[in-house]
Amino acid sequence: AQSVTQLGSHVSVSEGALVLLRCNYSSSVPPYLFWYVQYPNQGLQLLLKYTSAATLVKGINGFEAEFKKSETSFHLTKPSAHMSDAAEYFCAVSDRSGGSNYKLTFGKGTLLTVNP
Amino acid sequence: DTAVSQTPKYLVTQMGNDKSIKCEQNLGHDTMYWYKQDSKKFLKIMFSYNNKELIINETVPNRFSPKSPDKAHLNLHINSLELGDSAVYFCASSGGILRETQYFGPGTRLLVL
């Protein structure tokens, strides 16, 4: 069974500071990994994904994540936080058993607040 | 154009009632999903349909019955609503070459009183 652990339910940074949101996964096979963002009262928007190409993945809004197999991690970073980055961030894993369905298993989410 | 849409956006109802949530996607995908987000923001898959066929059913009470009239639609009917059903329900879809990637709707916020 797959699982995702997001360290830190709440991360607070100053505007312009580095953003680091941590995600570790457990999977018996090389997984697909995703980061989604949820703004207040909205749906989930895909930030980026890892599907076994480059281990450093660039996403939207200046975010990137690095897949580290040895550490089973997929941490999300952004060099300089903006006020508009304040949101809930979810890391998710889906397995490659494939067929037609890729069930997503989510972490518990990390709320990012950005202070002026 | 909205890729994955859900109706209604908000739903307030009494315990014991029956309600439905509709989902439509215009992405041409062949797989659709329902997820539940609880009050602590935890997201968990409920169902998945591929080409109108039920593929995933994650130990969801029988009171929940998904229906897929065609590939573009996946509806969720809930019988005898309970207080614990209060949550945000998200529809998602995937398909094509990048079928591992799911696109989510805006969510339906259900409050059972």
Side-chain angles (χ1 to χ4, degrees):
Chain A
Q2 301 167 108
S3 65
V4 176
T5 302
Q6 290 185 241
L7 294 172
S9 59
H10 186 196
V11 171
S12 182
V13 301
S14 298
E15 194 172 17
L18 171 73
V19 175
L20 170 61
L21 304 182
R22 299 177 188 273
C23 173
N24 288 88
Y25 70 91
S26 170
S27 177
S28 57
V29 296
Y32 292 117
L33 292 159
F34 305 84
W35 276 99
Y36 283 88
V37 60
Q38 185 179 25
Y39 297 102
N41 296 317
Q42 294 190 27
L44 285 92
Q45 181 181 6
L46 180 68
L47 270 180
L48 49 78
K49 63 179 180 181
Y50 167 76
T51 57
S52 84
T55 55
L56 182 62
V57 181
K58 293 190 185 300
I60 61 171
N61 301 339
F63 283 93
E64 62 182 39
E66 186 172 7
F67 172 70
K68 292 187 177 181
K69 185 178 178 181
S70 60
E71 299 176 9
T72 59
S73 68
F74 190 56
H75 301 331
L76 182 71
T77 60
K78 180 173 181 177
S80 177
H82 193 273
M83 298 294 289
S84 60
D85 294 326
E88 190 89 29
Y89 291 80
F90 293 94
C91 182
V93 61
S94 75
D95 68 40
R96 294 168 178 263
S97 55
S100 306
N101 290 272
Y102 292 84
K103 180 178 77 172
L104 284 174
T105 300
F106 284 89
K108 292 188 175 181
T110 298
L111 177 64
L112 175 67
T113 57
V114 181
N115 305 308
Chain B
D1 283 342
T2 304
V4 183
S5 59
Q6 296 179 227
T7 54
K9 189 169 183 179
Y10 298 97
L11 189 50
V12 182
T13 187
Q14 299 287 330
M15 240 180 4
N17 284 350
D18 303 338
K19 290 294 178 185
S20 291
I21 305 171
K22 295 186 176 183
C23 177
E24 177 181 3
Q25 53 93 6
N26 63 8
L27 298 168
H29 290 164
D30 57 6
T31 305
M32 296 183 73
Y33 308 79
W34 278 111
Y35 288 84
K36 179 180 180 181
Q37 186 175 45
D38 64 22
S39 58
K40 295 184 179 180
K41 300 283 185 83
F42 185 60
L43 281 148
K44 187 170 165 53
I45 191 165
M46 300 173 69
F47 300 104
S48 170
Y49 268 75
N50 175 257
N51 284 319
K52 303 193 297 176
E53 183 181 343
L54 180 65
I55 302 297
I56 297 174
N57 183 341
E58 288 283 310
T59 322
V60 178
N62 292 340
R63 300 183 294 102
F64 290 79
S65 53
K67 283 188 172 56
S68 182
D70 55 57
K71 287 197 302 184
H73 296 84
L74 179 61
N75 303 323
L76 183 65
H77 188 76
I78 315 171
N79 289 326
S80 303
L81 278 154
E82 300 178 356
L83 293 177
D85 298 331
S86 296
V88 182
Y89 293 85
F90 287 102
C91 177
S93 73
S94 66
I97 297 173
L98 302 177
R99 60 174 52 257
E100 74 282 350
T101 303
Q102 295 182 25
Y103 295 89
F104 284 78
T108 295
R109 285 149 183 82
L110 171 64
L111 178 60
V112 182
L113 302 175

